[in-house]
Amino acid sequence: MAFRLKLVPADTKIDFFRWQFLTFGLSTLLAVASVVCLLVMGLNFGIDFRGGTTIRTESVQPVDVGAYRQALQPLNLGDVAITEVFDPTFGPEQNVAQVRISAQDGAEAVTPETVAAVEAALQEVDPSITFPSVESVGPKVSGELIQTAVYAVIASLAAISIYIWLRFEWQFAVGALVSLVHDVLITMGVFSLFQIKFDLTTIAALLTILGYSINDTVVVFDRLRENLMKYKKTPLRDLMNLSVNETLSRTVMTSGTTLVALIALLVLGGDVIRGFVFAITFGIVIGTYSSVYVAKNVVLWLGVKRDWSKPDPKAAGTQFTDPEAQ
C-alpha cells in the first residue's frame, strides 16, 4: 500500500467568505499603505537604477568576496556589490570578479579618485590583482532601465489579463488583474518600508511572482468553471468555496514545497541574492493569499455566467470556454 502525504484533509469545508469584508478590507488597506509608502519613502534603488561604476578585476589567486568587501568598508562607498564571474573559457589562473559601486547622492558618477581608492584597497588584499576595465552607468541609462522595468511589469499584467479574458470571461480577467496588482503593490511597499535594495533582480522576482500567482488563480478559476457546469442551481458563493476547498491541497503542497527551498536560500544564500529571494518568498505568500481572498471576491461581486454548457455569442472569449471546442 502506497504512502501518501496529506497536509490537508481530502474533504475540507472551510468558509473562505466568512470574513470576506475583513480580508478584502485588509488587502485594500495594505495596497493603499504601500502606495503612500512608495510616494513618501520611495525605493532604495540599487546600482542598476541609480547609476554607478563597475570595476572588473582579474587575479591569479581565487576571488575572496568577503576579503574584498572588508577592504572596501572603510571607504564608505554606500551600495557596493561584489560578484565572482565564472566562465568555462577562463584558465586556472584567471579569477575574475566585478565590483559595482553606486553613485553617491547628488553625483552623476563615481569620481576617478574613488575608483583609484578602490583599486588601491583591493591591491592591498591581493597584490597580483589587475583591473582590465572600468565602466560607468550614467543617470540617463539608469532612467531608461527604470522605464523599461515599469513597461515590463505593465506588459506582463496586460498579457496575463488578456489570456484570462480569452480563457474564461472578462469578470475573471478583472479579478486576476486586481489580484496581481495587489501582489505587486504590497511587495513593493514592503521593499519601500524596509528600504531593501531594489534592482533589476527584484524586477525579475516581481515577474516571477506574477507568473506564480496567476498559476494558482487559474487553477481555482478552472475548478470553478467545472463546478459552474456541474451545479447550475448552487449559489455562486457556495461554488467558489467548494472550488477553493477542492484545490486547497494542491495550493498548500505547491506553495509549501516552494517555500522550503526559498527559505533555505534566504537563510544560507548570502547577501548577493537575499533581496531577490526575499521578494519571491514574500510574493508567493501574498500571491497565494490573493488567489484565495482577493481574486474570487472580485469575481463574486461582478457575477459570472452560470450555464457554461451553452455557448454565449455575446460573451468575449466564449469560443475558448466551450467544452466542445477544447
Side-chain angles (χ1 to χ4, degrees):
M1 183 177 179
F3 174 75
R4 296 178 60 187
L5 176 63
K6 289 186 178 182
L7 298 180
V8 178
D11 186 20
T12 57
K13 296 181 180 179
I14 302 173
D15 185 3
F16 291 98
F17 285 98
R18 183 178 182 183
W19 310 104
Q20 61 173 326
F21 294 104
L22 177 61
T23 56
F24 198 80
L26 177 62
S27 295
T28 304
L29 179 63
L30 290 176
V32 172
S34 297
V35 173
V36 172
C37 196
L38 288 169
L39 293 176
V40 174
M41 300 181 63
L43 291 168
N44 179 22
F45 288 121
I47 296 172
D48 300 323
F49 295 142
R50 291 181 58 186
T53 298
T54 299
I55 303 174
R56 186 180 178 91
T57 71
E58 187 171 326
S59 174
V60 296
Q61 298 182 14
V63 174
D64 189 340
V65 175
Y68 287 9
R69 193 182 303 278
Q70 188 173 2
L72 297 180
Q73 279 183 351
L75 301 179
N76 296 320
L77 299 174
D79 186 11
V80 178
I82 305 174
T83 56
E84 186 173 359
V85 179
F86 296 95
D87 194 306
T89 62
F90 290 166
E93 296 184 353
Q94 191 175 9
N95 301 285
V96 179
Q98 284 187 339
V99 180
R100 297 192 297 173
I101 308 169
S102 176
Q104 301 297 315
D105 293 336
E108 293 191 356
V110 177
T111 63
E113 292 77 10
T114 302
V115 173
V118 169
E119 293 177 351
L122 293 178
Q123 284 176 336
E124 291 183 3
V125 176
D126 182 1
S128 67
I129 197 171
T130 59
F131 308 96
S133 65
V134 177
E135 301 176 352
S136 295
V137 178
K140 182 178 179 180
V141 175
S142 299
E144 292 176 352
L145 286 175
I146 295 176
Q147 189 178 48
T148 304
V150 172
Y151 287 160
V153 175
I154 293 176
S156 298
L157 290 171
I160 290 172
S161 299
I162 292 173
Y163 164 75
I164 297 298
W165 179 26
L166 296 176
R167 186 70 177 84
F168 299 98
E169 292 288 340
W170 68 268
Q171 296 94 333
F172 290 86
V174 173
L177 180 61
V178 171
S179 173
L180 294 177
V181 171
H182 164 274
D183 298 343
V184 172
L185 271 182
I186 293 181
T187 302
M188 293 180 65
V190 170
F191 269 73
S192 175
L193 179 63
F194 296 103
Q195 288 296 289
I196 303 171
K197 186 171 65 176
F198 193 91
D199 51 21
L200 284 178
T201 60
T202 311
I203 296 297
L206 289 177
L207 296 177
T208 304
I209 292 168
L210 293 180
Y212 190 96
S213 179
I214 197 61
N215 178 63
D216 197 34
T217 303
V218 165
V219 170
V220 177
F221 282 174
D222 200 50
R223 183 58 60 89
L224 174 60
R225 185 181 62 173
E226 294 176 2
N227 288 332
L228 283 170
M229 291 186 289
K230 187 185 299 183
Y231 308 105
K232 297 181 177 60
K233 302 299 182 181
T234 306
L236 182 58
R237 169 174 170 157
D238 295 340
L239 284 182
M240 286 188 168
N241 263 328
L242 175 63
S243 301
V244 177
N245 277 284
E246 288 179 344
T247 57
L248 187 60
S249 178
R250 179 261 176 205
T251 298
V252 172
M253 288 293 291
T254 304
S255 300
T257 52
T258 306
L259 286 174
V260 168
L262 288 173
I263 291 174
L265 287 174
L266 190 63
V267 175
L268 304 174
D271 183 66
V272 175
I273 63 171
R274 184 159 291 130
F276 173 77
V277 177
F278 173 79
I280 297 182
T281 304
F282 181 81
I284 285 178
V285 174
I286 199 70
T288 303
Y289 168 86
S290 67
S291 298
V292 175
Y293 287 105
V294 177
K296 66 179 182 57
N297 282 355
V298 175
V299 175
L300 177 64
W301 293 340
L302 292 175
V304 294
K305 172 184 169 184
R306 293 309 311 264
D307 190 356
W308 288 65
S309 62
K310 298 178 181 179
D312 183 2
K314 296 181 180 179
T318 304
Q319 68 271 27
F320 290 90
T321 57
D322 184 0
E324 298 297 327
Q326 295 181 2

